[in-house]
Amino acid sequence: MTLGFLSALRGISYLGASMLFILSLRGLSNQQSARGGNLLGMLGMALAVVVTGGALVMSNLLPAGAGAGAGAPVATGGQAIFLLAAALIGGGAVGALVASRVAMTSMPELVAMLHSFVGAAAVLVGIATTLQSEAGDGGRGTAHLIEIFVGVFVGAVTFSGSVIAFTKLRGLVGSRPLMLPGRHALNGLLVGASIVLGVMFVNDPGEHGMTLLLSMTALALVLGVHLVMAIGGGDMPVVVSLLNSYSGWAAAAAGFMLSNDLLIVTGALVGSSGAILSTIMCRAMNRSIWNVVFGGFGAAPSGPKAKGTAAGSAPAGVVHETSVAEVARLLLAAHRVVIVPGYGMAVAQAQHAVKEISSFLIAKGIKVEYAIHPVAGRLPGHMNVLLAEANVSYEIVKEMEEVNPELPHTDVVMVIGANDIVNPSALDDTSSPIYGMPVIEVWKAAHVVMLKRSMSAGYAGVDNPLAYRDNTLMLFGDARQSVLALLAALQS
């Protein structure tokens, strides 16, 4: 067996893994095939890891000179096997431990942290490659130096931005955007200085190369922090998707640095799909991606207030509090019910009890549907995952565009732990920070029941005048306890 044969086998296996990743993305495009798509992705990654690890071990077991272009092994066969086993066992153990302990409510934070790992890996690969490379040696000239610099820049922005996203999602940092004076000029200055350092690095990669690379890394870390700090809590689902795209491009850049075709393909798939998803979500919010990144969504506007309502202040009105028994009576008398889940349902882990309520009502001949907003929760598809976990039928889970035309003909809408995505200010209050964002127009139904802990504002920090409308009833308390009490009342 020669290195040439191993290289060909690895290439074919990488092609197979790439096809599995592409089929995985296709499967993940709709809820019915999502489980199968996830399985294909797992198989593709398993194939990539096994083939890469096997090639590494075999290339170190073969004698020097075996196959064209073979040189002295970088480690003995035993050392290669030990390092590979340590990496697989250590990484697998950490991943399994985290996955088994993380709650669904903490999934957004986990995703953000995993994105930071990809960014950190790209930075470390770039630094290690710089330490090993000799300028102009074997094609490692200008093009390779640009690959290193771009990979480290994107990786550093991804790493620091993802860490800040984690702290915001975790509640360690406030959700309101940090609006520094001249923030756009600051971003431009950081990018411009990084480009200057990049030109200097490509022209002089020798004595001062590492200093230039580390200087740019520091600037990119600051840029990542500032970019995400300037984005408000209401945009965090888009931020998570955007950071996913960044991590993909960072992985692709690492693939160029390592001359690994599969890593390039995989990174490009992740980067492009994340960018497409971010664009789709922005369109659903009636905003551009540039407005999300640079607009400071969630900050109090400085312009004139419309309708006498100050942003963030409580509108004039009376809250109509209700009881579990009253809500049960409304549901049993309804012909059509729509349930709007939000992050509060995830926090309370109420999805299983909500599913029991919908199943009970359907058994009574009442039409029940779930309405999903594109940015509900803290990451893309958060509510879909929760409902799938509770075995809610895909057929009754509808998108915002499908549900809104039917709401005027709906008897009862139950809003469980959602706030910003059902806020009428997005449509009728030009002074609101969320003005222009499409929302689920629940107030058009005959009755709206909002399940909330208190009258506090949503994650975007914007108060919701829906709570003061005449057809809105407020059921205060923990969502899970309220839903369980409601289920008991329906069954009694």
Side-chain angles (χ1 to χ4, degrees):
M1 184 181 295
T2 65
L3 287 178
F5 174 78
L6 288 176
S7 178
L9 179 62
R10 182 176 61 180
I12 295 173
S13 300
Y14 280 0
L15 178 61
S18 299
M19 293 302 298
L20 287 171
F21 291 145
I22 294 172
L23 293 174
S24 174
L25 286 176
R26 181 181 180 183
L28 292 171
S29 63
N30 64 77
Q31 297 178 20
Q32 288 82 353
S33 60
R35 293 181 184 271
N38 197 33
L39 179 60
L40 290 174
M42 293 168 60
L43 291 175
M45 184 56 66
L47 176 62
V49 171
V50 169
V51 170
T52 302
L56 174 64
V57 172
M58 291 302 297
S59 64
N60 283 277
L61 289 176
L62 288 173
V74 296
T76 66
Q79 289 175 332
I81 295 175
F82 173 77
L83 292 173
L84 181 63
L88 290 176
I89 295 174
V94 171
L97 180 64
V98 171
S100 63
R101 292 189 174 185
V102 66
M104 283 302 300
T105 52
S106 300
M107 193 61 69
E109 297 100 289
L110 176 63
V111 171
M113 187 53 66
L114 292 177
H115 291 162
S116 73
F117 291 166
V118 180
V123 172
L124 294 175
V125 167
I127 293 174
T129 305
T130 303
L131 291 172
Q132 295 182 39
S133 299
E134 295 179 3
D137 179 22
R140 297 183 184 273
T142 300
H144 185 65
L145 293 172
I146 293 175
E147 292 169 3
I148 292 174
F149 205 84
V150 171
V152 173
F153 177 81
V154 176
V157 171
T158 303
F159 172 73
S160 59
S162 298
V163 170
I164 296 301
F166 170 83
T167 59
K168 283 199 169 191
L169 292 167
R170 195 73 173 177
L172 303 175
V173 174
S175 64
R176 286 189 174 274
L178 177 65
M179 310 295 284
L180 296 177
R183 63 188 185 279
H184 301 314
L186 175 60
N187 291 333
L189 181 63
L190 290 171
V191 173
S194 297
I195 293 175
V196 171
L197 290 173
V199 173
M200 295 172 63
F201 174 77
V202 172
N203 291 329
D204 181 22
E207 181 180 355
H208 304 293
M210 184 56 68
T211 301
L212 294 170
L213 185 65
L214 294 178
S215 299
M216 180 277 295
T217 303
L219 294 179
L221 290 172
V222 174
L223 177 63
V225 170
H226 183 241
L227 283 174
V228 179
M229 284 296 295
I231 299 175
D235 280 333
M236 289 314 294
V238 181
V239 172
V240 172
S241 175
L242 198 59
L243 289 171
N244 177 62
S245 178
Y246 290 173
S247 69
W249 300 124
F256 278 107
M257 287 185 276
L258 297 172
S259 299
N260 187 299
D261 296 337
L262 181 60
L263 196 53
I264 296 172
V265 172
T266 305
L269 288 173
V270 174
S272 57
S273 60
I276 292 171
L277 178 59
S278 301
T279 302
I280 292 174
M281 295 176 70
C282 287
R283 287 176 180 171
M285 297 167 65
N286 196 30
R287 298 164 66 213
S288 69
I289 191 70
W290 303 108
N291 181 259
V292 170
V293 175
F294 301 112
F297 178 74
S302 57
K305 306 295 184 289
K307 301 186 178 182
T309 300
S313 64
V318 179
V319 173
H320 305 283
E321 190 171 353
T322 188
S323 64
V324 169
E326 175 66 12
V327 176
R329 185 190 65 79
L330 286 174
L331 291 175
L332 290 173
H335 297 287
R336 175 184 170 85
V337 174
V338 172
I339 300 173
V340 182
Y343 185 67
M345 186 187 77
V347 172
Q349 289 289 286
Q351 63 269 25
H352 296 281
V354 173
K355 192 264 184 183
E356 292 298 321
I357 288 179
S358 64
S359 298
F360 178 85
L361 295 176
I362 291 172
K364 291 286 187 180
I366 300 170
K367 185 176 182 180
V368 180
E369 291 179 336
Y370 290 80
I372 306 297
H373 193 279
V375 295
R378 296 291 187 271
L379 81 166
H382 197 180
M383 295 300 107
N384 301 80
V385 172
L386 287 175
L387 296 179
E389 182 192 23
N391 293 318
V392 173
S393 173
Y394 298 131
E395 283 72 21
I396 64 173
V397 178
K398 306 296 182 180
E399 299 297 328
M400 175 180 63
E401 295 81 4
E402 301 176 86
V403 169
N404 272 344
E406 302 298 325
L407 288 174
H409 313 295
T410 301
D411 299 301
V412 181
V413 174
M414 279 209 310
V415 181
I416 306 176
N419 196 76
D420 301 321
I421 62 173
V422 293
N423 194 330
S425 296
L427 301 184
D428 58 22
D429 186 356
T430 56
S431 70
S432 174
I434 64 172
Y435 180 74
M437 182 181 84
V439 293
I440 302 176
E441 301 169 4
V442 298
W443 57 89
K444 293 184 177 180
H447 300 282
V448 179
V449 179
M450 292 188 72
L451 280 70
K452 291 189 65 176
R453 285 183 176 271
S454 66
M455 288 297 295
S456 59
Y459 193 60
V462 181
D463 194 69
N464 191 348
L466 173 66
Y468 306 93
R469 295 210 171 204
D470 292 336
N471 64 333
T472 300
L473 300 174
M474 302 297 299
L475 184 60
F476 293 110
D478 176 79
R480 187 169 186 274
Q481 297 302 320
S482 297
V483 170
L484 287 173
L486 180 57
L487 178 61
L490 290 171
Q491 295 174 337
S492 62

